Amino acid sequence: MKGIKILGIGAFAPSNVVSNDDFSKIVDTSDEWIYSRTGMKKRHLSKGEPTWFLAKSACEDALKKSGLKAEDIDLIIVATITPDYFTPSMACIIQRELGIEKCIAVDVNAACSGFIYGIDMASKYIACGDARNAIVVGAENLSKITDYTDRASCVLFGDGAGACVLTAGEGTFATYLGADGSGAKFMVARQIPPRNMIINGDEPEFDDGIPKSKEHYLFMDGKEVYKFAIKALPHAVEMACKKAGISVEDIALIIPHQANIRIIETAAQRLGVPMDKMQVNIEEYGNTSSASIPLALNEAYEKGKVKKGDKVCLVGFGAGLTYGAVLYEI
Ligand code: UT7
């Protein structure tokens, strides 16, 4: 399979920063509990900036660094679980904001694996020739669906966006994706139910096997998701390596979804990889779902942690349950 080349990476996070101590003022928690259980110190929270604005800002940064012009982009994929509208898609808004006259534009909902799913889709559009260059952006305003009365989840989530501009490349490349809908009930934020003139309140309940979460807020069974994550992360990396015909030791840097430092440490141990090969920025951003991998990717490039010829593995897991990895060569 033809590979990809990343031409530019961009990131954007709202300037408003909330510390662990700030949370101890609204729920029964502490900096000690949050940091020791998750590795998080801060997260950036939107002060009204909509998801499209976060996404657009990251895309503009990535486009500028790529050296391409907006009209060179044939495909926009936005990974998000917190879009601003049912319709139109975030991707169409980004197209408008970037001033692109004609391109394919679509949103992807694969939760924290969304950026990985987006890169996989873009690579296939590029390989078949329907797109020359693509922008994939993960953007979230998780504060829209966070229940700030639930200490078990509210301390975890942040807002932000990360984007990359892709084109065809020649080096090592493989993707490995998966999902397990039997775990859908473990991480849920409910949409509004239908309301119309024939609904009068005596309708039968449809059992969807999903717990009744509070309004539209996010509910997470942390323990179940944790158990899934420590298996899914190393599995996805190993399978991507197998598909590419390389071994895990050949990877220069792994960029995992930033959900919990303990998940990343356990995965590193299981893969036999030292922690300095795992890109971590969870202290600064918390868990930003589909934005977390590109935010960490941007940091890795900015800090010069990778060089030409290096093999990099992006790996995500999250609600759905979904998981996936992208292995590419710089
Ligand atoms: O991005 C999508 C993927 N998401 C994830 O991967 C998240 C996976 N899950 C996790 O990272 C962890 O399960 C959590 C960080 C969510 C929770 O950590 P834990 O070590 O599994 O804690 P726990 O749920 O077992 O709770 C331990 C204790 C409980 O008290 P008791 O029952 O032992 O008295 C909780 O009530 O900690 C309590 N607790 C808290 N205490 C202070 C839960 N949240 C808090 C809190 N502050 N914020």
Side-chain angles (χ1 to χ4, degrees):
M1 184 180 169
K2 220 160 139 192
I4 55 160
K5 187 171 160 64
I6 297 183
L7 297 175
I9 305 167
F12 183 83
S15 55
N16 217 49
V17 172
V18 176
S19 69
N20 291 346
D21 286 333
D22 291 328
F23 275 97
S24 60
K25 293 173 200 148
I26 61 164
V27 286
D28 182 12
T29 191
S30 64
D31 175 52
E32 197 282 324
W33 191 95
I34 300 171
Y35 188 63
S36 63
R37 298 283 178 134
T38 70
M40 296 171 188
K41 279 267 177 209
K42 303 181 220 165
R43 65 291 290 146
H44 294 240
L45 296 186
S46 161
K47 214 174 176 197
E49 301 96 328
T51 306
W52 68 260
F53 180 81
L54 307 183
K56 159 204 142 107
S57 306
C59 287
E60 284 173 344
D61 188 21
L63 198 56
K64 198 167 138 203
K65 291 178 190 162
S66 74
L68 296 188
K69 297 198 189 74
E71 62 262 31
D72 298 324
I73 301 297
D74 310 305
L75 168 67
I76 300 172
I77 298 178
V78 180
T80 186
I81 55 168
T82 48
D84 298 309
Y85 320 106
F86 287 116
T87 192
S89 66
M90 291 289 91
C92 287
I93 304 290
I94 301 309
Q95 179 197 15
R96 184 195 72 185
E97 290 298 308
L98 295 181
I100 301 173
E101 262 181 41
K102 188 186 173 299
C103 72
I104 305 166
V106 67
D107 289 2
V108 177
N109 178 340
C112 310
S113 314
F115 187 73
I116 301 292
Y117 270 66
I119 301 254
D120 175 71
M121 286 167 65
S123 73
K124 284 166 178 151
Y125 273 93
I126 290 170
C128 80
D130 278 356
R132 290 161 305 150
N133 309 302
I135 288 194
V136 180
V137 51
E140 301 290 3
N141 248 325
L142 291 178
S143 52
K144 291 204 281 197
I145 58 169
T146 300
D147 176 0
Y148 288 102
T149 64
D150 175 20
R151 70 173 180 173
S153 64
C154 71
V155 300
L156 306 173
F157 302 115
D159 302 329
C164 69
V165 174
L166 301 176
T167 195
E170 290 306 327
T172 302
F173 181 69
T175 63
Y176 176 77
L177 306 184
D180 174 11
S182 71
K185 59 187 178 231
F186 296 137
M187 211 172 161
V188 173
R190 209 170 261 281
Q191 274 289 8
I192 56 169
R195 290 188 195 109
N196 59 42
M197 78 292 270
I198 55 168
I199 288 178
N200 59 19
D202 64 359
E203 289 72 31
E205 287 246 334
F206 285 79
D207 181 7
D208 54 13
I210 304 274
K212 293 275 173 273
S213 59
K214 198 169 134 196
E215 295 173 37
H216 66 289
Y217 293 116
L218 190 68
F219 157 82
M220 180 172 74
D221 184 332
K223 278 204 184 315
E224 287 296 336
V225 180
Y226 191 97
K227 282 194 272 178
F228 157 75
I230 56 172
K231 282 194 206 136
L233 199 167
H235 174 68
V237 174
E238 279 165 354
M239 292 307 287
C241 285
K242 196 171 166 198
K243 278 178 80 176
I246 67 163
S247 63
V248 174
E249 298 93 79
D250 298 328
I251 300 174
L253 193 66
I254 296 177
I255 305 188
H257 170 46
Q258 311 282 309
N260 190 320
I261 188 69
R262 293 184 293 138
I263 293 173
I264 298 173
E265 285 168 352
T266 306
Q269 238 171 35
R270 291 186 174 184
L271 288 166
V273 161
M275 272 305 282
D276 63 2
K277 278 196 175 187
M278 306 294 281
Q279 182 69 16
V280 176
N281 66 354
I282 196 167
E283 263 196 54
E284 174 67 29
Y285 296 103
N287 180 346
T288 56
S289 190
S290 63
S292 103
I293 294 170
L295 278 169
L297 180 67
N298 182 58
E299 207 165 292
Y301 275 60
E302 282 194 338
K303 289 189 170 161
K305 289 184 97 174
V306 282
K307 57 180 187 322
K308 188 150 178 46
D310 278 353
K311 294 175 182 60
V312 174
C313 188
L314 316 178
V315 56
F317 53 86
L321 299 166
T322 57
Y323 53 93
V326 169
L327 186 62
Y328 73 97
E329 190 173 319
I330 295 183

